[in-house]
Amino acid sequence: MTTATPGAEEVELAIGGMTCASCAARIEKKLNRMDGVEATVNYATEKAKVTFRDDIAVAELIATVEATGYTAREPEPDPAHPAPGADADDEGEAELRPLRQGLTAAVVLAVPVIAMAMVPALQFEYWQWLSLTLAAPVVTYAAWPFHKAAWTNARHGAATMDTLISVGTTAAFLWSLWALFFGTAGTPGMTHAFELTITRTDGAGNIYLEAAAGVTAFILAGRYFEARSKRKAGAALKALMELGAKDVTVLRGGREQLIPVGELTVGDRFLVRPGEKIATDGTVVEGTSAIDASMLTGESVPVEVGVGGNVTGATLNAGGRLVVEATRVGADTQLARMAKLVEDAQNGKAAAQRLADKISAVFVPVVIALALGTLGFWLGNGAGLTAAFTAAVAVLIIACPCALGLATPTALMVGTGRGAQLGILIKGPEVLETTRRADTIVLDKTGTVTTGRMTLLAVHTADGTDETDVLRLAGALEHSSEHPIAQAVAAGASARVGSLPAPEDFANVAGLGVQGIVEGHAVLVGRTRLLAEWAINLPAELERARAEAEAAGRTAIAVAWDGEARAVLEVADAIKDTSPEAIRRLRALGLTPVLLTGDNKAVAAAVAAEVGIDAGQVIAEVMPQDKVDVVKRLQSEGRSVAMVGDGVNDAAALAQADLGLAMGTGTDAAIEAGDLTLVRGDLRAAADAIRLSRKTLGTIRSNLFWAFAYNVAALPLAASGLLNPMIAGAAMAFSSVFVVGNSLRLRGFQAAGR
């Protein structure tokens, strides 16, 4: 349990006994009637997220749920260290077992009952009594969960989908008993045809055992496959939670010791051998390696790390031996926080689903009234008791609102789970609705479009000077400096020419550059003013290169040795290789990209031109605190603004934007402020996130459409007497399975170009 707001707390309860969306609506309504309580109950995840005053005990919330006729309990206290997968599988199997047993019994017994009722040739002399013998266990034992739930709800003055099923099947069974024992249906040689339309008869010679048994079997089948599908829908979250290592080798007192991951503490140093998973988030203190983070970020290219580099728990050490110092453990790790974000998102409801919940809450009483009205109408029109009864039962059975309750949760479970596998975290269903409206995307430059670190981009040499000599001598001198620009030159030189010589003498000239002796040469590296102090001027071609570099917003560094200017180096924040492609993808989604930066206009214009952003959509020289004002101004122009950022100075603007996309490589403040978190530091993930969000929202809407359309189309047919109760039950069960199956298609979503 965690504190939500001052004076308020939040808890997530596991709810048991729900069988349809109406159950969830009842529990939610009861909890929200408590003073100081706000609750959301999710039928698909079988959880209630409750915010309540700190003077209310969790036991009171549980008691309220139990008084409504359901069970409630707090989840396990340590979500950061889930039980092994086998335990989760056992729990899921325990949930499915009674459903499977009831379904097996119902199918085995109901099939011959349905066959005899549908095929007159199978109706031997006492076939109706065999039908009764076979149907009785189906309507009593197999359908017991429906009857039990209906009775529990009736005791609390409520009606749910189980009420419709229980009343419908019981009515059909009791009618058949009356016809067999007190009517003419029990006479030897009785036959009746299987018809889908109204027929005028007194009803004494007709039985509906096939409807009672068949409806039970069809609905149990629907619930069983629905439960299996729901387990598959939540499989991504389960897989995410199981990514982490179970044991870790810690270094204590100079010795290696194998302990469970749960015993790690911040500051512990642990060993990661090649091929092992990194146990928790930390900093490398010894060794270098390549880290495969594909299972966590979706990024297929391993990342090189060395001493001082940060690593994330659950990623794979694909190279050398590492010693890592733990910086985050338990629920604070990136993996645990990702799982929490995904789970929180699955507990939410989209606006369309909230409307569906309101409808389903009043749907059952309306349907019962409609069934009674149907019965009275056909009786009043002289259609006969059998025809009137058939139509009324069909209305009860066809009207299941279950598909409405599953429309959003299942799509959200699958969509957020698939997003987590691809390194995209969606905070909630409201985010999905915002992605559809967004028409402008503001991109912070540094760390989002660019790498966020200085890089050696180009080397311009004077006539007769070899580039390798420039890099070796300048790189050797810069390697001794701690300045970021110097380190960029040294890193670039080392990458291109290999190992660098050690300077024989070195001096830092404040504000100008460095000077020293390398391999017997007197070397100067820095501003042109440093060279001028030694009476060295740049030749025309190098002066031109320096001017062009500075006009493009890059830092120009002059290099001289032995009294002559030899080269000009260009250093700048490099554009990510994937940024131009990302901009094209964002445009294809109907978004107008806007570049936002605190850098000068020349730098901003150069970056925009390189990645494909229009010059008129560049906003430069913006102070960090003014980024919010830029977003507000764009919104005042009627735009729906999405923003991508990664730094502390982006957090407020991300929160102000209609849709905030936080780079997971950025700061915690930015990640907390974003609506979507992109675990990969790749701007293309922003386009993938918006595509996935829109596709998930589209799936929710199609689910709701078909669920509503199904009820709207089927109820008049049933009330007209054109729908046999057994077929109505099959159609109702199919609607729920269809909604879940449609949602499962999201598992096939692929990031573009990967």
Side-chain angles (χ1 to χ4, degrees), residues 1 9 34-37 52-61:
M1 185 164 57
E9 294 186 334
M34 297 177 67
D35 188 30
V37 173
F52 56 99
R53 285 199 319 263
D54 55 8
D55 61 338
I56 299 174
V58 174
E60 294 179 58
L61 303 174

Side-chain angles (χ1 to χ4, degrees), residues 584-605:
R584 290 194 295 272
R585 293 187 188 179
L586 291 169
R587 286 187 186 280
L589 291 169
L591 298 166
T592 300
V594 174
L595 186 68
L596 180 64
T597 180
D599 275 348
N600 62 61
K601 293 180 180 179
V603 172

